[in-house]
Amino acid sequence: MYGPPPPDYPRYPEYPRATNSPPIIVLVSGLAALLGFLLGVLVGFGAGTTSGEEAPDPRVTVTVEDTPPPAEETVPPAQTTPPPSPPAQTPPGQTPPGQTPPGQTQPGLGTTPGATGLAVDISSLLRTLVVGTDIQPGTYRTSGPMSGFPMCYWARLRTPTGGVIATGMPNGPATVTILATDKAFQTGGCVEWTKA
């Protein structure tokens, strides 16, 4: 049974044998790996899409509540009075040294000349309005600072927490244009802003 084939046995052509050459084996296995990688990438990209429609971007809603800061009790600084000294003789029509002439107020810390009483700290009145939610883009006007304030403050901001684009401290009527690209508008001590 084993041995040379009989003479009448049909002969088929000999097929080439696979070579044992290492460079060819490395080349074929490298091409197979590259083809597998590309196929995986294409299938991966195809799995990420949905039937021709893209998913909408998620919507984020931010609500900002404008609550006034807690009222702080202000205590005037302790004042010491020097012991009384004997009255000095001043010529008629003149004011003694260290005293304020009648009808005028003495300027002090936090006051302006000619104003009566202490000025309130504007930073305690600051309000930040989010553009598009609390205030709409446009031109706004104010008649100036609130009663008792020498000036008021406004600022257009890049973010609700800062990034000043423009700012002002008017002591009279003022106009500000808030752009749609502004993210917030901050104001303090001004009479209410009205759209022009």
Side-chain angles (χ1 to χ4, degrees):
M1 178 148 163
Y2 295 103
D8 59 342
Y9 189 76
R11 300 241 179 220
Y12 295 105
E14 281 214 26
Y15 294 103
R17 292 186 176 193
T19 62
N20 293 340
S21 172
I24 292 176
I25 293 173
V26 170
L27 179 65
V28 170
S29 57
L31 288 174
L34 180 62
L35 182 62
F37 173 76
L38 291 176
L39 184 61
V41 168
L42 291 175
V43 169
F45 280 132
T49 60
T50 59
S51 66
E53 296 179 16
E54 292 187 23
D57 291 335
R59 296 184 73 170
V60 176
T61 304
V62 177
T63 305
V64 177
E65 294 183 16
D66 189 21
T67 57
E72 295 181 15
E73 185 176 322
T74 56
V75 178
Q79 297 179 358
T80 58
T81 54
S85 58
Q89 296 292 331
T90 54
Q94 290 187 356
T95 304
Q99 292 185 358
T100 306
Q104 293 185 5
T105 57
Q106 182 176 3
L109 184 64
T111 64
T112 55
T116 57
L118 291 175
V120 177
D121 182 17
I122 289 181
S123 65
S124 67
L125 299 174
L126 281 181
R127 292 185 313 157
T128 302
L129 307 171
V130 176
V131 175
T133 303
D134 302 323
I135 191 167
Q136 299 304 316
T139 301
Y140 290 83
R141 291 192 175 114
T142 181
S143 58
M146 292 176 159
S147 177
F149 290 93
M151 62 186 66
C152 64
Y153 170 79
W154 64 264
R156 293 173 41 222
L157 304 175
R158 285 185 179 86
T159 68
T161 57
V164 175
I165 298 169
T167 185
M169 294 186 72
N171 57 4
T175 303
V176 175
T177 300
I178 299 171
L179 303 178
T181 55
D182 296 354
K183 297 298 179 197
F185 178 72
Q186 192 172 52
T187 183
C190 298
V191 173
E192 197 62 38
W193 292 88
T194 56
K195 198 160 189 177

